[in-house]
Amino acid sequence: MDLLKELAENLRLGEDEAVRAGTRAALDAGLAPGEILRTGLLAGMAVVGGEFGRREIFLPDVLLAARAMQAGMEVLRPHLARDGAPEAGRVVLGTVQGDLHDIGKNLVGILLRGAGYEVIDLGTDVPAARFLEAAETSGAGVIGLSALLTTTMPRMAEVVSLVRERGLGGRVKVVVGGAPVTQAFADGIGADGWGFDAESAVRRVKALMESV
Amino acid sequence: MRRVLLVDPAAVLPTRQQTLVRAGVPADRTPSGRTLDLLEEAISCFLLEADPIGVLEELSYEEFLAVHHDGMPAGGTSVLDVVAPRASRLALFAATVGEPLCARIRTLFAEGNAPLGLFLDALASEAATALAGQVGKALVEERPDPQLAVLAYSPGYCGWPVTGQRALFARLDPGEIGISLGESALMSPVKSVSGVLVAAPAGAHRFRPAFEFCDACTDRTCLERMATLRSPSGPALVKGSTPWTS
């Protein structure tokens, strides 16, 4: 099996140490970092995404694969930067102010990284202005907001308003999610997208990134 | 009556099936071997790190009415307007699986071990729900009555807004067991539950889910809860309550 096929297969199986070693081996063999990313790591994640979509594997398996993807990216990232090969894009992520729940936000971040995005995770209890600062300084195309309480959902509207006030609406899209958040709520506050769950949030981010 | 209960982690350990479902593996599917290995690792970690504790305080219907009223918006109704008047006994409660377990989950995610973090989070969430059941059991164990079924009702569900926790915390003061409430009505540690335990004949817990607030409800776990009450000679404690947890 060639190096990149083996890399993709080990990623699919969630074998993080094998993926780390395989990525090093591919670099040592002189393969271009962008090629290793596309034909090895992202190809493996695409298979995982397909199996997940067909309900052949489930969230824990996807997280194992995403962890393996991260292991490969840790090796690859410095070479990608040197090579000028772009990652899929940047996303600022966080749980809104007043809320400390982070499992949903973490899962979205992991799946986004697995899909090749650079994620700037601001953590929990994040004020609206910090999301904007991070998006402006990093050049992120999407801000992802999470809330698990009905009391903190209104904070999402503050971020959307700030994006508009600063005239960033054309460049920075806002995706919202969390147990009490609905499509109707997202529409009501003028968000660009709503994720029912982590996987649908990632799909929405991908679609928005392509439109930015 | 006010009681603090220290609970053995093993007593609130969820079943493997419950945990798998909470972690996103459908009940009718066979998980991968690596998934099962992760689950076992998470169970060991849970038994080591969990420190379940709860507090309950019995109160009269009139006292509960005041707490409930303080937590409701003007003119609002909750399912407790129907259920609580039929209760034989009422008690406010709060319980947590403990901050060390919550910290461990955060650390796992921060260190990039999300697969194990996911399972530990699932175990903690299910255990918090089970813990409400343990506290409910304690409410009736001194004066057992096979006719009574105990269910927990929590702010954030069935028309009782999550902000209702402010009045509940003001009355119960669960700081004694290490649970505090933030400005946004978020409990800390995050894997905590609170609410009112209603001990009543099974029929008293039944209602038609046709309230205004039912329109916005996406999980309808009330139906599961009521289904567990079908047998008139069923157990005094009914598991599967819907306390506020994450």
Side-chain angles (χ1 to χ4, degrees):
Chain A
M1 197 186 291
D2 77 40
L3 278 175
L4 295 184
K5 274 190 185 159
E6 190 178 342
L7 188 58
E9 177 61 6
N10 279 327
L11 190 141
R12 187 184 76 79
L13 296 171
E15 299 288 352
D16 49 341
E17 284 312 314
V19 168
R20 195 188 306 275
T23 306
R24 279 201 198 101
L27 285 167
D28 291 345
L31 295 175
E35 179 66 8
I36 298 171
L37 176 64
R38 280 189 303 278
T39 315
L41 301 178
L42 289 177
M45 276 312 286
V47 174
V48 169
E51 289 178 343
F52 185 56
R54 293 191 298 275
R55 290 168 53 90
E56 292 166 8
I57 60 169
F58 304 100
L59 189 56
D61 303 293
V62 176
L63 293 185
L64 284 165
R67 186 173 67 179
M69 173 84 184
Q70 273 310 105
M73 285 303 289
E74 280 166 21
V75 176
L76 200 58
R77 188 167 285 120
H79 299 272
L80 281 171
R82 248 178 272 147
D83 209 34
E87 292 191 50
R90 282 194 192 101
V91 180
V92 169
L93 205 59
T95 303
V96 297
Q97 190 164 26
D99 207 327
L100 298 176
H101 292 96
D102 59 2
I103 177 99
K105 182 264 298 171
N106 289 340
L107 293 178
V108 172
I110 290 158
L111 295 185
L112 282 170
R113 287 190 186 99
Y117 292 94
E118 184 185 339
V119 176
I120 297 148
D121 187 343
L122 301 179
T124 59
D125 194 18
V126 182
R130 244 190 98 208
F131 284 106
L132 268 290
E133 284 161 21
E136 283 181 308
T137 54
S138 68
V142 171
I143 296 175
L145 305 173
S146 172
L148 206 93
L149 298 173
T150 50
T151 49
T152 55
M153 281 163 60
R155 299 288 187 183
M156 293 175 157
E158 290 176 18
V159 179
V160 173
S161 299
L162 268 181
V163 168
R164 296 243 172 86
E165 275 171 29
R166 296 197 191 175
L168 294 171
R171 187 177 72 71
V172 180
K173 305 296 181 189
V174 180
V175 177
V176 296
V181 180
T182 60
Q183 179 71 64
F185 174 79
D187 293 343
I189 64 169
D192 301 290
W194 166 67
F196 165 73
D197 56 16
E199 195 228 353
S200 73
V202 173
R203 268 191 275 118
R204 194 71 192 115
V205 168
K206 275 184 187 171
L208 286 168
M209 281 287 195
E210 284 162 16
S211 73
V212 173
Chain B
M1 178 192 80
R2 182 182 176 91
R3 279 183 66 185
V4 170
L5 293 110
L6 297 168
V7 180
D8 183 345
V12 291
L13 180 68
T15 65
R16 282 162 176 77
Q17 182 75 340
Q18 280 176 313
T19 312
L20 284 164
V21 169
R22 174 74 87 149
V25 182
D28 60 344
R29 304 305 291 267
T30 307
S32 66
R34 294 203 68 186
T35 294
L36 293 174
D37 290 345
L38 275 172
L39 174 58
E40 295 309 317
E41 192 180 346
I43 288 171
S44 301
C45 189
F46 174 87
L47 292 172
L48 211 65
E49 303 273 6
D51 193 12
I53 189 168
V55 60
L56 80 156
E57 185 170 322
E58 199 162 355
L59 74 179
S60 68
Y61 172 63
E62 288 72 25
E63 288 172 317
F64 172 70
L65 213 53
V67 171
H68 184 246
H69 179 266
D70 285 352
M72 292 295 294
T77 55
S78 90
V79 74
L80 286 158
D81 291 312
V82 176
V83 173
R86 308 172 191 161
S88 300
R89 298 171 67 183
L90 292 159
L92 299 181
F93 80 99
T96 180
V97 292
E99 177 53 25
L101 184 61
C102 297
R104 181 89 174 103
I105 294 166
R106 286 194 299 273
T107 303
L108 283 169
F109 276 100
E111 288 174 348
N113 196 351
L116 185 57
L118 174 76
F119 275 110
L120 201 53
D121 188 276
L123 281 165
S125 294
E126 289 291 329
T129 301
L131 188 52
Q134 291 288 324
V135 180
K137 198 185 281 183
L139 173 65
V140 289
E141 71 187 1
E142 284 175 4
R143 282 185 284 146
D145 182 343
Q147 296 306 309
L148 295 183
V150 183
L151 282 185
Y153 295 80
S154 294
Y157 293 87
C158 299
W160 193 7
V162 69
T163 49
Q165 284 190 130
R166 292 181 187 132
L168 191 156
F169 269 58
R171 176 70 165 76
L172 181 64
D173 190 15
E176 179 185 359
I177 60 163
I179 304 178
S180 60
L181 196 66
E183 208 175 297
S184 56
L186 175 70
M187 285 185 283
S188 178
V190 172
K191 301 296 180 188
S192 299
V193 292
S194 70
V196 62
L197 296 163
V198 177
H205 291 289
R206 294 200 183 97
F207 59 90
R208 203 159 69 86
F211 294 93
E212 202 174 313
F213 51 78
C214 297
D215 293 341
C217 177
T218 52
D219 55 24
R220 298 276 169 151
T221 47
C222 62
L223 298 173
E224 282 170 39
R225 285 154 57 90
M226 286 189 274
T228 63
L229 295 166
R230 235 167 239 156
S231 166
S233 57
L237 170 73
V238 178
K239 284 195 166 185
S241 53
T242 57
W244 180 247
T245 181
S246 63

